[in-house]
């Protein structure tokens, strides 16, 4: 059974953020992830992780003005200085929180910035961020995101992400594969995961349509979970979905997967 992590930015949102860690542990998770930690002091989050014996799998570099709709600044040539300051801030938090990897959002291509210039900026910024992360033993991830939910997003395909990783030439730069986004953009989930597994260090999930929990849409998650087991995937699978109904009630799929794994003699978290 895959090693699931609760995404605390989307799950348990009926509670204040710092109260969600206890709920994740109570629901049987031993790891969490979230979008950003920067609204809190690192010690506040570290205390929750320690108290509830939770691993922190992942969070994002600063991504501009999220409330205003920005979804990353890595491809914006006018904001390189801001990007580099964000890299340092993220690393400072990572070192205090013990997280092994960070995700860099590419962002939307800015108006009046051509594709070639945006690409060159993105690659330059990734090389810088990867080098800074490597100096502290951290991995850096990039994630293709569908451009229906985020129109104009710069990184939208698995092949595109793999080409960027190859161009950057950084040995700590890897792929974050989001099942929801790539079902919307590409389909062929199983074949794509097989092809790019050597690059994948983190997976996230939600069903299509609606971005709700597994079992509410068209994706055959039991098949994909078996595939990940067969392929020997060792990374985390982040539950980054919007619960349909109360968060706790949305975990019926997880209990079913635990039961299936137990029947197959596979340990579950």
């Amino acid at each position: 059974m895959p090693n699931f992590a609760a995404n605390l930015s989307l799950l348990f949102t009926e509670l204040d953020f710092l109260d969600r860690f206890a709920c994740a542990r109570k629901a049987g998770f031993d790891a969490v992830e979230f979008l950003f930690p920067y609204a809190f002091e690192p010690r506040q989050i570290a205390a929750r992780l320690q108290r509830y014996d939770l691993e922190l799998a992942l969070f994002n570099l600063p991504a501009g003005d999220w409330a205003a709709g920005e979804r990353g600044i890595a491809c914006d040539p006018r904001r390189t200085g801001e990007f580099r300051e964000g890299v340092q801030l993220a690393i400072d938090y990572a070192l205090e929180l013990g997280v092994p990897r960070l995700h860099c959002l590419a962002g939307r291509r800015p108006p009046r910035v051509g594709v070639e210039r945006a690409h060159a900026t993105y690659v330059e910024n990734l090389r810088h961020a990867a080098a800074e992360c490597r100096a502290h033993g951290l991995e850096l991830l990039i994630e293709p995101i569908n451009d229906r939910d985020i129109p104009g997003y710069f990184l939208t395909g698995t092949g595109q992400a793999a080409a960027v990783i190859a161009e950057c030439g950084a040995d700590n730069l890897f792929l974050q594969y989001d099942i929801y986004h790539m079902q919307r953009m590409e389909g062929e989930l199983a074949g794509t995961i097989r092809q790019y597994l050597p690059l994948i260090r983190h997976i996230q999930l939600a069903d299509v349509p609606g971005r709700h929990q597994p079992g509410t849409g068209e994706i055959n998650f039991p098949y994909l979970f078996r595939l990940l087991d067969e392929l020997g995937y060792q990374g985390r699978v982040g539950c980054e979905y919007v619960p349909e109904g109360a968060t706790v009630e949305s975990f019926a799929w997880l209990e079913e997967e635990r039961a299936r794994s137990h029947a197959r003699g596979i340990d579950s978290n």
Side-chain angles (χ1 to χ4, degrees):
M1 176 176 169
N3 297 312
F4 295 107
N7 187 297
L8 299 186
S9 296
L10 276 72
L11 303 178
F12 307 110
T13 56
E14 61 272 21
L15 300 172
D16 291 338
F17 177 74
L18 292 176
D19 294 329
R20 299 174 195 173
F21 293 81
C23 294
R25 169 51 76 183
K26 186 176 181 180
F29 291 96
D30 62 6
V32 296
E33 62 178 32
F34 42 74
L35 294 178
F36 308 105
Y38 310 112
F40 302 91
E41 294 295 325
R43 59 178 175 77
Q44 294 176 284
I45 298 174
R48 268 61 177 189
L49 294 170
Q50 183 176 12
R51 182 183 307 170
Y52 300 110
D53 192 22
L54 290 165
E55 174 187 321
L56 179 55
L58 178 83
F59 62 81
N60 298 326
L61 301 184
D65 190 341
W66 193 264
E70 291 186 335
R71 294 297 182 264
I73 59 173
C75 69
D76 190 338
R78 302 165 300 185
R79 300 173 74 176
T80 299
E82 179 184 352
F83 176 83
R84 294 191 176 198
E85 290 175 1
V87 170
Q88 187 56 58
L89 178 63
I91 289 173
D92 289 344
Y93 269 79
L95 296 179
E96 290 205 47
L97 297 178
V99 70
R101 61 190 59 84
L102 299 168
H103 168 231
C104 176
L105 285 142
R108 295 181 170 95
R109 181 162 63 90
R112 296 179 295 280
V113 173
V115 173
E116 290 185 3
R117 188 179 180 202
H119 176 85
T121 301
Y122 185 42
V123 169
E124 179 183 358
N125 278 334
L126 287 175
R127 285 174 174 160
H128 169 81
E132 293 297 310
C133 285
R134 186 190 302 108
H136 298 283
L138 300 172
E139 295 177 346
L140 183 68
L141 308 186
I142 58 174
E143 174 193 9
I145 293 178
N146 83 80
D147 59 6
R148 295 172 177 83
D149 290 359
I150 306 180
Y153 197 77
F154 187 69
L155 185 69
T156 59
T158 311
Q160 179 191 5
V164 167
I165 291 170
E167 183 176 352
C168 287
D171 61 5
N172 64 326
L173 181 61
F174 295 101
L175 176 64
Q176 179 171 312
Y177 186 83
D178 190 300
I179 289 169
Y180 165 79
H181 288 303
M182 291 303 93
Q183 174 68 1
R184 296 209 71 189
M185 287 302 296
E186 301 174 342
E188 297 289 345
L189 297 171
T192 304
I193 290 171
R194 284 183 183 276
Q195 180 179 355
Y196 292 102
L197 187 69
L199 291 179
I200 296 173
R201 286 299 184 275
H202 192 74
I203 292 174
Q204 292 176 321
L205 64 78
D207 217 333
V208 176
R211 201 173 185 175
H212 301 309
Q213 62 264 30
T216 58
E218 66 193 23
I219 298 174
N220 187 345
F221 279 102
Y223 172 79
L224 291 179
F225 296 152
R226 289 196 304 272
L227 176 66
L228 292 176
D229 287 339
E230 291 168 5
L231 295 175
Y233 173 70
Q234 298 297 309
R236 292 284 181 180
V237 177
C239 300
E240 194 189 39
Y241 63 79
V242 179
E244 190 174 64
T247 298
V248 173
E249 295 174 359
S250 79
F251 294 141
W253 68 272
L254 183 54
E255 294 304 317
E256 293 169 1
E257 181 58 27
R258 286 171 175 157
R260 280 190 292 266
S261 295
H262 180 73
R264 299 198 306 271
I266 298 175
D267 290 338
S268 61
N269 64 331

